[in-house]
Amino acid sequence: MRYIIIGAGAVGGAIGGRLAEAGHEVALVARGAHYEALRAHGLRLMTSEGTRTHRLPTVDGPAALGELRPDDVLVLAVKTQDSEAALEAWGPAPVAGGGTAAERLPLVCAQNGVESPRIALRRFRRVYGVCVWLPATLVEPGAVSAAGAPLTGILHLGRHPHGTDETARRIAADLEKAHFEAPVVPDVARWQYAKLLGNLANAIEAVSGVLTSEEGLALFARVRAEGEAVLTAADIAYTGEEEQKKARDNKIRFEPFDGSERGGGSSWQSLDRGTGTIEADYLNGEIVLLGRLHGVPTPLNELLQRLANTFARERRAAGSLPVAELVRLADEAVAFVQEERAPRP
């Protein structure tokens, strides 16, 4: 199978580069300065084993790649806010022998959140969800750091909305030869919702910096509890912490190669690069949506969603809001909702 990585940034670049190292045919899809750097110099992938440069076919859309092949696998690795545009571009792409990508090819959503597989299912017949545990950073255009060791990442994989099939098992086998663990599970959404709860910290990290202080960690515990209450009200199952710990224990260490402190995650990186967009609508915003649907107040996640979007839109510096100020705003948001819901005399 040939893997077409739609969005060869941090996660997509790490997956594509590792698959290429394992001998699989890979094509990268990128845009802007990253596209230009990949075309000119190849993908520079930094892992615990050293730095390698992979000169892979790189395109900015399906037309540049030409007719797709029946054995192609599309790996969607853009941020969720960019999914619709990517699916609109790749869905109608013709496949050799007849039909389109949406009709004939498997689409693997390797993204944070839970919304992209649902968006994809409107266009693509065969959609696969992935719970992505993969510490990776787009260091600069053309260069990706994947600091996980001894495994590069753990990628739980399954059909969306549920089930498994031979294609999932073949993809998983390829990933497992490429420094990933890739369990094939019939309930991948359960893993994705568990990851979503962890990703509620992304907005805190983006606006106030990497979570290291007791104050910041205590705020995240409150934000997560709000998310858990919403999932319970919505009767949505998610993997418990013990099961997650058992799946990950001693398999991935987060160790930057130069000995520096760990950088921020995907949302922090969006602000740091000044992209103008951020994934908060599909992380904290998912909890807000479910809370509104099921009558559960979500003042903390609403605040974080709003702040993250404001920071992205106004291109404010990542981590520039002091944690103490964020906690003060959070307390005010909770107090306002409590006052609103209090019985009136």
Side-chain angles (χ1 to χ4, degrees), residues 3-6 72-78 83-84 86-88 90-91 101-111 116-130 157-160 165 167 171:
Y3 290 88
I4 299 173
I5 311 295
I6 304 171
D72 283 340
V73 175
L74 305 181
V75 179
L76 186 66
V78 299
S83 289
E84 186 63 48
L87 294 167
E88 183 178 1
W90 285 87
E103 293 168 329
R104 297 188 58 191
L105 300 184
L107 179 81
V108 179
C109 297
Q111 299 159 285
S116 263
R118 185 174 181 272
I119 296 172
L121 209 58
R122 294 179 183 274
R123 298 177 185 271
F124 281 75
R125 291 177 180 171
R126 299 163 61 199
V127 176
Y128 298 79
V130 180
L157 170 71
R159 285 291 294 260
H160 179 80
D165 61 15
T167 297
I171 294 169

mmCIF file of all heavy atoms in Angstrom, residues 3-6 72-78 83-84 86-88 90-91 101-111 116-130 157-160 165 167 171:
data_model
loop_
_atom_site.group_PDB
_atom_site.id
_atom_site.type_symbol
_atom_site.label_atom_id
_atom_site.label_comp_id
_atom_site.label_asym_id
_atom_site.label_seq_id
_atom_site.Cartn_x
_atom_site.Cartn_y
_atom_site.Cartn_z
ATOM 1 N N TYR A 3 1.063 5.149 1.169
ATOM 2 C CA TYR A 3 0.461 6.029 2.162
ATOM 3 C C TYR A 3 0.590 7.475 1.708
ATOM 4 O O TYR A 3 1.701 7.962 1.472
ATOM 5 C CB TYR A 3 1.124 5.826 3.524
ATOM 6 C CG TYR A 3 0.779 4.489 4.135
ATOM 7 C CD1 TYR A 3 1.544 3.360 3.865
ATOM 8 C CD2 TYR A 3 -0.342 4.351 4.943
ATOM 9 C CE1 TYR A 3 1.216 2.127 4.403
ATOM 10 C CE2 TYR A 3 -0.682 3.112 5.495
ATOM 11 C CZ TYR A 3 0.096 2.012 5.214
ATOM 12 O OH TYR A 3 -0.246 0.784 5.742
ATOM 13 N N ILE A 4 -0.536 8.153 1.594
ATOM 14 C CA ILE A 4 -0.559 9.561 1.217
ATOM 15 C C ILE A 4 -0.891 10.346 2.478
ATOM 16 O O ILE A 4 -2.005 10.248 3.009
ATOM 17 C CB ILE A 4 -1.586 9.819 0.104
ATOM 18 C CG1 ILE A 4 -1.219 9.001 -1.142
ATOM 19 C CG2 ILE A 4 -1.649 11.306 -0.225
ATOM 20 C CD1 ILE A 4 -2.260 9.047 -2.240
ATOM 21 N N ILE A 5 0.073 11.095 2.989
ATOM 22 C CA ILE A 5 -0.062 11.797 4.256
ATOM 23 C C ILE A 5 -0.586 13.203 3.978
ATOM 24 O O ILE A 5 0.163 14.090 3.549
ATOM 25 C CB ILE A 5 1.283 11.872 5.006
ATOM 26 C CG1 ILE A 5 1.956 10.485 5.058
ATOM 27 C CG2 ILE A 5 1.063 12.452 6.395
ATOM 28 C CD1 ILE A 5 1.205 9.454 5.858
ATOM 29 N N ILE A 6 -1.870 13.408 4.224
ATOM 30 C CA ILE A 6 -2.502 14.703 3.962
ATOM 31 C C ILE A 6 -2.330 15.568 5.208
ATOM 32 O O ILE A 6 -3.055 15.440 6.191
ATOM 33 C CB ILE A 6 -3.993 14.524 3.620
ATOM 34 C CG1 ILE A 6 -4.156 13.566 2.431
ATOM 35 C CG2 ILE A 6 -4.637 15.868 3.321
ATOM 36 C CD1 ILE A 6 -5.589 13.154 2.166
ATOM 37 N N ASP A 72 -3.967 2.765 -2.513
ATOM 38 C CA ASP A 72 -3.572 3.930 -1.718
ATOM 39 C C ASP A 72 -4.345 3.987 -0.402
ATOM 40 O O ASP A 72 -5.529 3.619 -0.342
ATOM 41 C CB ASP A 72 -3.827 5.230 -2.490
ATOM 42 C CG ASP A 72 -2.771 5.498 -3.552
ATOM 43 O OD1 ASP A 72 -1.667 4.922 -3.459
ATOM 44 O OD2 ASP A 72 -3.056 6.280 -4.482
ATOM 45 N N VAL A 73 -3.680 4.472 0.636
ATOM 46 C CA VAL A 73 -4.311 4.769 1.924
ATOM 47 C C VAL A 73 -4.120 6.259 2.184
ATOM 48 O O VAL A 73 -2.991 6.759 2.158
ATOM 49 C CB VAL A 73 -3.671 3.962 3.072
ATOM 50 C CG1 VAL A 73 -4.264 4.374 4.416
ATOM 51 C CG2 VAL A 73 -3.863 2.474 2.838
ATOM 52 N N LEU A 74 -5.217 6.967 2.409
ATOM 53 C CA LEU A 74 -5.145 8.390 2.715
ATOM 54 C C LEU A 74 -5.095 8.554 4.230
ATOM 55 O O LEU A 74 -5.974 8.068 4.943
ATOM 56 C CB LEU A 74 -6.360 9.136 2.157
ATOM 57 C CG LEU A 74 -6.633 8.977 0.660
ATOM 58 C CD1 LEU A 74 -7.846 9.803 0.259
ATOM 59 C CD2 LEU A 74 -5.421 9.370 -0.173
ATOM 60 N N VAL A 75 -4.066 9.228 4.723
ATOM 61 C CA VAL A 75 -3.929 9.497 6.154
ATOM 62 C C VAL A 75 -4.164 10.983 6.369
ATOM 63 O O VAL A 75 -3.348 11.821 5.956
ATOM 64 C CB VAL A 75 -2.535 9.096 6.676
ATOM 65 C CG1 VAL A 75 -2.411 9.416 8.164
ATOM 66 C CG2 VAL A 75 -2.279 7.612 6.423
ATOM 67 N N LEU A 76 -5.286 11.310 6.984
ATOM 68 C CA LEU A 76 -5.639 12.704 7.232
ATOM 69 C C LEU A 76 -5.010 13.137 8.553
ATOM 70 O O LEU A 76 -5.392 12.658 9.624
ATOM 71 C CB LEU A 76 -7.165 12.855 7.285
ATOM 72 C CG LEU A 76 -7.695 14.279 7.391
ATOM 73 C CD1 LEU A 76 -7.377 15.079 6.125
ATOM 74 C CD2 LEU A 76 -9.203 14.278 7.636
ATOM 75 N N ALA A 77 -4.038 14.059 8.476
ATOM 76 C CA ALA A 77 -3.309 14.476 9.673
ATOM 77 C C ALA A 77 -3.284 15.995 9.827
ATOM 78 O O ALA A 77 -2.453 16.523 10.562
ATOM 79 C CB ALA A 77 -1.883 13.925 9.644
ATOM 80 N N VAL A 78 -4.202 16.687 9.147
ATOM 81 C CA VAL A 78 -4.334 18.125 9.361
ATOM 82 C C VAL A 78 -5.052 18.360 10.679
ATOM 83 O O VAL A 78 -5.651 17.445 11.250
ATOM 84 C CB VAL A 78 -5.115 18.791 8.204
ATOM 85 C CG1 VAL A 78 -4.397 18.602 6.876
ATOM 86 C CG2 VAL A 78 -6.547 18.242 8.115
ATOM 87 N N SER A 83 -10.008 20.046 8.270
ATOM 88 C CA SER A 83 -10.452 18.772 7.701
ATOM 89 C C SER A 83 -11.405 18.953 6.532
ATOM 90 O O SER A 83 -11.275 18.285 5.501
ATOM 91 C CB SER A 83 -11.139 17.918 8.778
ATOM 92 O OG SER A 83 -10.213 17.432 9.714
ATOM 93 N N GLU A 84 -12.378 19.841 6.678
ATOM 94 C CA GLU A 84 -13.400 19.993 5.648
ATOM 95 C C GLU A 84 -12.775 20.352 4.304
ATOM 96 O O GLU A 84 -13.113 19.771 3.273
ATOM 97 C CB GLU A 84 -14.418 21.060 6.068
ATOM 98 C CG GLU A 84 -15.602 21.191 5.120
ATOM 99 C CD GLU A 84 -16.464 19.938 5.038
ATOM 100 O OE1 GLU A 84 -16.818 19.389 6.088
ATOM 101 O OE2 GLU A 84 -16.776 19.510 3.898
ATOM 102 N N ALA A 86 -9.703 19.813 3.290
ATOM 103 C CA ALA A 86 -8.905 18.689 2.785
ATOM 104 C C ALA A 86 -9.798 17.602 2.202
ATOM 105 O O ALA A 86 -9.510 17.049 1.131
ATOM 106 C CB ALA A 86 -8.045 18.116 3.908
ATOM 107 N N LEU A 87 -10.882 17.290 2.876
ATOM 108 C CA LEU A 87 -11.794 16.248 2.392
ATOM 109 C C LEU A 87 -12.479 16.674 1.097
ATOM 110 O O LEU A 87 -12.686 15.857 0.194
ATOM 111 C CB LEU A 87 -12.831 15.930 3.465
ATOM 112 C CG LEU A 87 -12.275 15.295 4.744
ATOM 113 C CD1 LEU A 87 -13.324 15.317 5.845
ATOM 114 C CD2 LEU A 87 -11.804 13.873 4.480
ATOM 115 N N GLU A 88 -12.806 17.946 1.009
ATOM 116 C CA GLU A 88 -13.428 18.460 -0.219
ATOM 117 C C GLU A 88 -12.475 18.331 -1.397
ATOM 118 O O GLU A 88 -12.895 18.037 -2.528
ATOM 119 C CB GLU A 88 -13.824 19.929 -0.015
ATOM 120 C CG GLU A 88 -14.551 20.538 -1.202
ATOM 121 C CD GLU A 88 -14.973 21.973 -0.948
ATOM 122 O OE1 GLU A 88 -14.694 22.504 0.138
ATOM 123 O OE2 GLU A 88 -15.572 22.576 -1.863
ATOM 124 N N TRP A 90 -9.801 16.085 -1.638
ATOM 125 C CA TRP A 90 -9.362 14.730 -1.939
ATOM 126 C C TRP A 90 -10.507 13.767 -2.227
ATOM 127 O O TRP A 90 -10.293 12.780 -2.947
ATOM 128 C CB TRP A 90 -8.504 14.206 -0.779
ATOM 129 C CG TRP A 90 -7.150 14.826 -0.781
ATOM 130 C CD1 TRP A 90 -6.770 16.006 -0.202
ATOM 131 C CD2 TRP A 90 -5.993 14.333 -1.457
ATOM 132 N NE1 TRP A 90 -5.448 16.271 -0.471
ATOM 133 C CE2 TRP A 90 -4.942 15.263 -1.229
ATOM 134 C CE3 TRP A 90 -5.728 13.193 -2.220
ATOM 135 C CZ2 TRP A 90 -3.660 15.076 -1.746
ATOM 136 C CZ3 TRP A 90 -4.450 13.016 -2.732
ATOM 137 C CH2 TRP A 90 -3.446 13.945 -2.499
ATOM 138 N N GLY A 91 -11.682 14.029 -1.726
ATOM 139 C CA GLY A 91 -12.801 13.112 -1.958
ATOM 140 C C GLY A 91 -13.087 12.824 -3.424
ATOM 141 O O GLY A 91 -13.240 11.663 -3.819
ATOM 142 N N ALA A 101 -11.725 8.744 -4.770
ATOM 143 C CA ALA A 101 -11.117 8.407 -3.475
ATOM 144 C C ALA A 101 -12.184 8.193 -2.421
ATOM 145 O O ALA A 101 -12.099 7.269 -1.603
ATOM 146 C CB ALA A 101 -10.163 9.527 -3.052
ATOM 147 N N ALA A 102 -13.204 9.040 -2.408
ATOM 148 C CA ALA A 102 -14.265 8.921 -1.405
ATOM 149 C C ALA A 102 -15.012 7.592 -1.526
ATOM 150 O O ALA A 102 -15.471 7.035 -0.530
ATOM 151 C CB ALA A 102 -15.238 10.094 -1.533
ATOM 152 N N GLU A 103 -15.124 7.099 -2.731
ATOM 153 C CA GLU A 103 -15.849 5.843 -2.960
ATOM 154 C C GLU A 103 -14.989 4.613 -2.707
ATOM 155 O O GLU A 103 -15.494 3.586 -2.246
ATOM 156 C CB GLU A 103 -16.354 5.808 -4.410
ATOM 157 C CG GLU A 103 -17.414 6.839 -4.726
ATOM 158 C CD GLU A 103 -17.663 6.967 -6.232
ATOM 159 O OE1 GLU A 103 -16.709 6.759 -7.017
ATOM 160 O OE2 GLU A 103 -18.799 7.284 -6.604
ATOM 161 N N ARG A 104 -13.676 4.706 -2.982
ATOM 162 C CA ARG A 104 -12.877 3.478 -3.048
ATOM 163 C C ARG A 104 -11.749 3.355 -2.032
ATOM 164 O O ARG A 104 -11.325 2.226 -1.738
ATOM 165 C CB ARG A 104 -12.282 3.351 -4.452
ATOM 166 C CG ARG A 104 -13.336 3.201 -5.554
ATOM 167 C CD ARG A 104 -12.685 2.885 -6.881
ATOM 168 N NE ARG A 104 -11.872 1.669 -6.822
ATOM 169 C CZ ARG A 104 -11.024 1.293 -7.780
ATOM 170 N NH1 ARG A 104 -10.869 2.046 -8.847
ATOM 171 N NH2 ARG A 104 -10.324 0.181 -7.663
ATOM 172 N N LEU A 105 -11.249 4.465 -1.517
ATOM 173 C CA LEU A 105 -10.032 4.381 -0.707
ATOM 174 C C LEU A 105 -10.318 4.516 0.790
ATOM 175 O O LEU A 105 -11.228 5.235 1.196
ATOM 176 C CB LEU A 105 -9.047 5.478 -1.116
ATOM 177 C CG LEU A 105 -8.568 5.461 -2.571
ATOM 178 C CD1 LEU A 105 -7.518 6.547 -2.789
ATOM 179 C CD2 LEU A 105 -8.022 4.093 -2.963
ATOM 180 N N PRO A 106 -9.517 3.860 1.621
ATOM 181 C CA PRO A 106 -9.647 4.046 3.063
ATOM 182 C C PRO A 106 -9.074 5.395 3.478
ATOM 183 O O PRO A 106 -8.036 5.829 2.967
ATOM 184 C CB PRO A 106 -8.823 2.894 3.645
ATOM 185 C CG PRO A 106 -7.842 2.542 2.584
ATOM 186 C CD PRO A 106 -8.506 2.843 1.270
ATOM 187 N N LEU A 107 -9.760 6.054 4.403
ATOM 188 C CA LEU A 107 -9.303 7.328 4.956
ATOM 189 C C LEU A 107 -9.059 7.140 6.444
ATOM 190 O O LEU A 107 -9.971 6.775 7.192
ATOM 191 C CB LEU A 107 -10.347 8.421 4.734
ATOM 192 C CG LEU A 107 -9.969 9.781 5.314
ATOM 193 C CD1 LEU A 107 -9.024 10.524 4.373
ATOM 194 C CD2 LEU A 107 -11.196 10.630 5.599
ATOM 195 N N VAL A 108 -7.838 7.387 6.877
ATOM 196 C CA VAL A 108 -7.432 7.199 8.266
ATOM 197 C C VAL A 108 -7.265 8.572 8.913
ATOM 198 O O VAL A 108 -6.423 9.364 8.485
ATOM 199 C CB VAL A 108 -6.107 6.416 8.351
ATOM 200 C CG1 VAL A 108 -5.675 6.238 9.796
ATOM 201 C CG2 VAL A 108 -6.252 5.066 7.660
ATOM 202 N N CYS A 109 -8.070 8.860 9.930
ATOM 203 C CA CYS A 109 -8.042 10.171 10.589
ATOM 204 C C CYS A 109 -7.104 10.118 11.792
ATOM 205 O O CYS A 109 -7.486 9.638 12.867
ATOM 206 C CB CYS A 109 -9.438 10.585 11.025
ATOM 207 S SG CYS A 109 -10.602 10.794 9.648
ATOM 208 N N ALA A 110 -5.883 10.598 11.626
ATOM 209 C CA ALA A 110 -4.883 10.603 12.693
ATOM 210 C C ALA A 110 -4.823 12.005 13.295
ATOM 211 O O ALA A 110 -3.898 12.781 13.019
ATOM 212 C CB ALA A 110 -3.522 10.175 12.149
ATOM 213 N N GLN A 111 -5.816 12.324 14.119
ATOM 214 C CA GLN A 111 -5.996 13.694 14.592
ATOM 215 C C GLN A 111 -6.491 13.693 16.038
ATOM 216 O O GLN A 111 -7.031 12.700 16.525
ATOM 217 C CB GLN A 111 -7.032 14.406 13.710
ATOM 218 C CG GLN A 111 -6.646 14.500 12.250
ATOM 219 C CD GLN A 111 -7.851 14.726 11.354
ATOM 220 O OE1 GLN A 111 -8.637 13.815 11.105
ATOM 221 N NE2 GLN A 111 -8.008 15.944 10.880
ATOM 222 N N SER A 116 -13.436 14.761 13.393
ATOM 223 C CA SER A 116 -13.024 14.555 12.001
ATOM 224 C C SER A 116 -13.569 13.277 11.373
ATOM 225 O O SER A 116 -14.015 13.299 10.224
ATOM 226 C CB SER A 116 -11.498 14.602 11.873
ATOM 227 O OG SER A 116 -11.092 15.895 11.473
ATOM 228 N N PRO A 117 -13.541 12.120 12.079
ATOM 229 C CA PRO A 117 -14.119 10.922 11.447
ATOM 230 C C PRO A 117 -15.589 11.103 11.090
ATOM 231 O O PRO A 117 -16.060 10.601 10.069
ATOM 232 C CB PRO A 117 -13.926 9.837 12.511
ATOM 233 C CG PRO A 117 -12.769 10.306 13.319
ATOM 234 C CD PRO A 117 -12.900 11.801 13.369
ATOM 235 N N ARG A 118 -16.319 11.833 11.921
ATOM 236 C CA ARG A 118 -17.736 12.074 11.631
ATOM 237 C C ARG A 118 -17.892 12.977 10.397
ATOM 238 O O ARG A 118 -18.739 12.735 9.536
ATOM 239 C CB ARG A 118 -18.406 12.717 12.849
ATOM 240 C CG ARG A 118 -19.904 12.907 12.710
ATOM 241 C CD ARG A 118 -20.515 13.405 14.027
ATOM 242 N NE ARG A 118 -21.946 13.568 13.902
ATOM 243 C CZ ARG A 118 -22.536 14.686 13.475
ATOM 244 N NH1 ARG A 118 -21.798 15.714 13.143
ATOM 245 N NH2 ARG A 118 -23.846 14.762 13.385
ATOM 246 N N ILE A 119 -17.053 14.017 10.315
ATOM 247 C CA ILE A 119 -17.059 14.882 9.131
ATOM 248 C C ILE A 119 -16.722 14.058 7.887
ATOM 249 O O ILE A 119 -17.364 14.180 6.845
ATOM 250 C CB ILE A 119 -16.046 16.033 9.292
ATOM 251 C CG1 ILE A 119 -16.445 16.950 10.449
ATOM 252 C CG2 ILE A 119 -15.925 16.828 8.001
ATOM 253 C CD1 ILE A 119 -15.398 17.995 10.777
ATOM 254 N N ALA A 120 -15.712 13.192 8.030
ATOM 255 C CA ALA A 120 -15.256 12.397 6.888
ATOM 256 C C ALA A 120 -16.317 11.434 6.393
ATOM 257 O O ALA A 120 -16.437 11.176 5.186
ATOM 258 C CB ALA A 120 -13.993 11.626 7.269
ATOM 259 N N LEU A 121 -17.097 10.894 7.314
ATOM 260 C CA LEU A 121 -18.098 9.892 6.939
ATOM 261 C C LEU A 121 -19.191 10.468 6.048
ATOM 262 O O LEU A 121 -19.903 9.730 5.374
ATOM 263 C CB LEU A 121 -18.699 9.279 8.204
ATOM 264 C CG LEU A 121 -19.195 7.833 8.108
ATOM 265 C CD1 LEU A 121 -18.084 6.885 7.674
ATOM 266 C CD2 LEU A 121 -19.773 7.370 9.443
ATOM 267 N N ARG A 122 -19.325 11.771 6.006
ATOM 268 C CA ARG A 122 -20.284 12.394 5.076
ATOM 269 C C ARG A 122 -19.829 12.238 3.630
ATOM 270 O O ARG A 122 -20.647 12.298 2.707
ATOM 271 C CB ARG A 122 -20.436 13.889 5.392
ATOM 272 C CG ARG A 122 -21.074 14.189 6.734
ATOM 273 C CD ARG A 122 -21.155 15.692 6.968
ATOM 274 N NE ARG A 122 -21.705 15.988 8.274
ATOM 275 C CZ ARG A 122 -23.001 16.085 8.549
ATOM 276 N NH1 ARG A 122 -23.883 15.913 7.570
ATOM 277 N NH2 ARG A 122 -23.421 16.353 9.768
ATOM 278 N N ARG A 123 -18.514 12.065 3.414
ATOM 279 C CA ARG A 123 -17.975 11.995 2.059
ATOM 280 C C ARG A 123 -17.381 10.629 1.729
ATOM 281 O O ARG A 123 -17.530 10.139 0.617
ATOM 282 C CB ARG A 123 -16.881 13.064 1.872
ATOM 283 C CG ARG A 123 -17.352 14.498 2.029
ATOM 284 C CD ARG A 123 -16.180 15.460 1.910
ATOM 285 N NE ARG A 123 -16.552 16.850 2.165
ATOM 286 C CZ ARG A 123 -16.988 17.692 1.241
ATOM 287 N NH1 ARG A 123 -17.106 17.291 -0.012
ATOM 288 N NH2 ARG A 123 -17.288 18.936 1.561
ATOM 289 N N PHE A 124 -16.672 10.029 2.691
ATOM 290 C CA PHE A 124 -15.929 8.800 2.443
ATOM 291 C C PHE A 124 -16.678 7.580 2.985
ATOM 292 O O PHE A 124 -17.229 7.628 4.086
ATOM 293 C CB PHE A 124 -14.543 8.874 3.098
ATOM 294 C CG PHE A 124 -13.536 9.674 2.321
ATOM 295 C CD1 PHE A 124 -13.591 11.059 2.311
ATOM 296 C CD2 PHE A 124 -12.553 9.040 1.584
ATOM 297 C CE1 PHE A 124 -12.673 11.806 1.587
ATOM 298 C CE2 PHE A 124 -11.621 9.767 0.861
ATOM 299 C CZ PHE A 124 -11.681 11.154 0.857
ATOM 300 N N ARG A 125 -16.656 6.511 2.220
ATOM 301 C CA ARG A 125 -17.342 5.284 2.639
ATOM 302 C C ARG A 125 -16.578 4.534 3.722
ATOM 303 O O ARG A 125 -17.176 3.893 4.581
ATOM 304 C CB ARG A 125 -17.531 4.359 1.427
ATOM 305 C CG ARG A 125 -18.532 4.868 0.403
ATOM 306 C CD ARG A 125 -18.606 3.922 -0.789
ATOM 307 N NE ARG A 125 -19.565 4.404 -1.774
ATOM 308 C CZ ARG A 125 -19.711 3.875 -2.979
ATOM 309 N NH1 ARG A 125 -18.949 2.834 -3.348
ATOM 310 N NH2 ARG A 125 -20.596 4.358 -3.827
ATOM 311 N N ARG A 126 -15.246 4.581 3.660
ATOM 312 C CA ARG A 126 -14.413 3.773 4.561
ATOM 313 C C ARG A 126 -13.541 4.711 5.392
ATOM 314 O O ARG A 126 -12.519 5.205 4.933
ATOM 315 C CB ARG A 126 -13.555 2.808 3.758
ATOM 316 C CG ARG A 126 -14.364 1.815 2.925
ATOM 317 C CD ARG A 126 -13.511 1.182 1.859
ATOM 318 N NE ARG A 126 -12.394 0.422 2.430
ATOM 319 C CZ ARG A 126 -11.315 0.075 1.739
ATOM 320 N NH1 ARG A 126 -11.183 0.449 0.470
ATOM 321 N NH2 ARG A 126 -10.357 -0.638 2.309
ATOM 322 N N VAL A 127 -13.983 4.939 6.620
ATOM 323 C CA VAL A 127 -13.303 5.867 7.511
ATOM 324 C C VAL A 127 -12.782 5.104 8.724
ATOM 325 O O VAL A 127 -13.490 4.277 9.308
ATOM 326 C CB VAL A 127 -14.240 7.011 7.956
ATOM 327 C CG1 VAL A 127 -13.547 7.919 8.967
ATOM 328 C CG2 VAL A 127 -14.715 7.809 6.745
ATOM 329 N N TYR A 128 -11.541 5.437 9.111
ATOM 330 C CA TYR A 128 -10.889 4.807 10.263
ATOM 331 C C TYR A 128 -10.461 5.898 11.233
ATOM 332 O O TYR A 128 -9.922 6.932 10.823
ATOM 333 C CB TYR A 128 -9.662 3.996 9.806
ATOM 334 C CG TYR A 128 -10.022 2.872 8.872
ATOM 335 C CD1 TYR A 128 -10.267 3.143 7.515
ATOM 336 C CD2 TYR A 128 -10.157 1.572 9.322
ATOM 337 C CE1 TYR A 128 -10.633 2.121 6.642
ATOM 338 C CE2 TYR A 128 -10.513 0.542 8.451
ATOM 339 C CZ TYR A 128 -10.746 0.829 7.122
ATOM 340 O OH TYR A 128 -11.122 -0.186 6.261
ATOM 341 N N GLY A 129 -10.734 5.660 12.507
ATOM 342 C CA GLY A 129 -10.305 6.593 13.532
ATOM 343 C C GLY A 129 -9.007 6.123 14.159
ATOM 344 O O GLY A 129 -8.714 4.932 14.211
ATOM 345 N N VAL A 130 -8.220 7.081 14.647
ATOM 346 C CA VAL A 130 -6.966 6.771 15.340
ATOM 347 C C VAL A 130 -6.906 7.601 16.620
ATOM 348 O O VAL A 130 -7.181 8.798 16.602
ATOM 349 C CB VAL A 130 -5.733 7.102 14.476
ATOM 350 C CG1 VAL A 130 -4.450 6.775 15.232
ATOM 351 C CG2 VAL A 130 -5.773 6.348 13.157
ATOM 352 N N LEU A 157 -6.313 1.972 16.558
ATOM 353 C CA LEU A 157 -6.898 2.117 15.220
ATOM 354 C C LEU A 157 -8.135 1.248 15.093
ATOM 355 O O LEU A 157 -8.166 0.112 15.577
ATOM 356 C CB LEU A 157 -5.850 1.688 14.184
ATOM 357 C CG LEU A 157 -6.254 1.521 12.730
ATOM 358 C CD1 LEU A 157 -6.541 2.881 12.104
ATOM 359 C CD2 LEU A 157 -5.147 0.811 11.952
ATOM 360 N N GLY A 158 -9.179 1.782 14.443
ATOM 361 C CA GLY A 158 -10.381 0.992 14.191
ATOM 362 C C GLY A 158 -11.303 1.695 13.219
ATOM 363 O O GLY A 158 -11.120 2.877 12.899
ATOM 364 N N ARG A 159 -12.293 0.967 12.713
ATOM 365 C CA ARG A 159 -13.280 1.566 11.816
ATOM 366 C C ARG A 159 -14.103 2.601 12.583
ATOM 367 O O ARG A 159 -14.331 2.484 13.774
ATOM 368 C CB ARG A 159 -14.230 0.496 11.268
ATOM 369 C CG ARG A 159 -13.666 -0.401 10.193
ATOM 370 C CD ARG A 159 -13.416 0.314 8.873
ATOM 371 N NE ARG A 159 -14.607 0.792 8.207
ATOM 372 C CZ ARG A 159 -15.205 0.167 7.192
ATOM 373 N NH1 ARG A 159 -14.732 -0.976 6.742
ATOM 374 N NH2 ARG A 159 -16.271 0.688 6.615
ATOM 375 N N HIS A 160 -14.546 3.609 11.882
ATOM 376 C CA HIS A 160 -15.494 4.561 12.449
ATOM 377 C C HIS A 160 -16.863 4.300 11.829
ATOM 378 O O HIS A 160 -16.966 4.157 10.614
ATOM 379 C CB HIS A 160 -15.062 6.003 12.146
ATOM 380 C CG HIS A 160 -16.021 7.012 12.693
ATOM 381 N ND1 HIS A 160 -16.024 7.389 14.018
ATOM 382 C CD2 HIS A 160 -17.032 7.697 12.107
ATOM 383 C CE1 HIS A 160 -16.977 8.265 14.223
ATOM 384 N NE2 HIS A 160 -17.606 8.484 13.072
ATOM 385 N N ASP A 165 -11.510 -4.432 10.484
ATOM 386 C CA ASP A 165 -11.532 -5.180 9.234
ATOM 387 C C ASP A 165 -10.089 -5.490 8.815
ATOM 388 O O ASP A 165 -9.133 -5.117 9.494
ATOM 389 C CB ASP A 165 -12.301 -4.445 8.128
ATOM 390 C CG ASP A 165 -11.703 -3.090 7.772
ATOM 391 O OD1 ASP A 165 -10.542 -2.821 8.158
ATOM 392 O OD2 ASP A 165 -12.380 -2.292 7.094
ATOM 393 N N THR A 167 -8.367 -4.317 6.324
ATOM 394 C CA THR A 167 -7.598 -3.122 5.991
ATOM 395 C C THR A 167 -6.974 -2.517 7.244
ATOM 396 O O THR A 167 -5.799 -2.136 7.251
ATOM 397 C CB THR A 167 -8.488 -2.084 5.286
ATOM 398 O OG1 THR A 167 -8.963 -2.627 4.049
ATOM 399 C CG2 THR A 167 -7.711 -0.802 4.998
ATOM 400 N N ILE A 171 -2.926 -2.009 7.848
ATOM 401 C CA ILE A 171 -2.336 -0.713 8.191
ATOM 402 C C ILE A 171 -1.589 -0.819 9.514
ATOM 403 O O ILE A 171 -0.459 -0.332 9.655
ATOM 404 C CB ILE A 171 -3.425 0.377 8.256
ATOM 405 C CG1 ILE A 171 -4.037 0.610 6.862
ATOM 406 C CG2 ILE A 171 -2.858 1.676 8.817
ATOM 407 C CD1 ILE A 171 -5.286 1.472 6.862
#
